[in-house]
Amino acid sequence: MGKSDINITQTQQIVMGFISPIIDEIVDRVSERVLAASKKEPKFYTRKEAAEILHITLPTLARITKDGLLVSKRVGSRILYEADAIDEAVKKQVVFKYRRA
């Protein structure tokens, strides 16, 4: 190892000594923003939006709500469905279609 190799190594160590705290601070701030964004209020879908996402009709949505397969919330005169419940049903690939006897 020559003298220039030692100078390059020392220079890299000095630069990393200055940059490391800055990088750590950036990582901390980004982590805080990501955690704050994940604590948002829950999202709700209307009946029409929920039916479109599940690829079912409004009467079928009413039936599965009545049967307790999906939980709805009433806000005034509106019926809303939590996005988490809809997403879970999509992930599980639950079949809600009407079956004739």
Side-chain angles (χ1 to χ4, degrees):
M1 244 162 80
K3 189 174 183 180
S4 64
D5 290 338
I6 293 173
N7 287 338
I8 291 172
T9 304
Q10 289 175 344
T11 304
Q12 287 174 344
Q13 289 174 349
I14 291 170
V15 169
M16 286 306 294
F18 286 119
I19 293 177
S20 289
I22 295 170
I23 292 172
D24 291 340
E25 183 65 26
I26 291 171
V27 168
D28 290 341
R29 288 185 183 184
V30 169
S31 298
E32 288 174 9
R33 287 183 184 171
V34 168
L35 290 174
S38 67
K39 293 181 182 177
K40 290 182 180 178
E41 292 184 23
K43 180 171 172 54
F44 292 93
Y45 291 115
T46 63
R47 291 179 65 239
K48 186 176 180 181
E49 291 170 335
E52 287 176 3
I53 291 169
L54 295 171
H55 302 288
I56 57 175
T57 63
L58 290 175
T60 303
L61 181 63
R63 181 181 53 81
I64 62 173
T65 301
K66 183 180 175 186
D67 292 345
L69 298 172
L70 276 179
V71 178
S72 65
K73 298 195 185 270
R74 183 173 289 275
V75 179
S77 62
R78 300 177 73 188
I79 297 174
L80 301 176
Y81 295 89
E82 283 192 47
D84 293 338
I86 302 295
D87 293 340
E88 191 66 30
V90 171
K91 283 181 189 175
K92 290 181 179 179
Q93 297 178 351
V94 178
V95 177
F96 292 124
K97 299 199 184 233
Y98 177 75
R99 292 194 177 110
R100 295 177 189 212

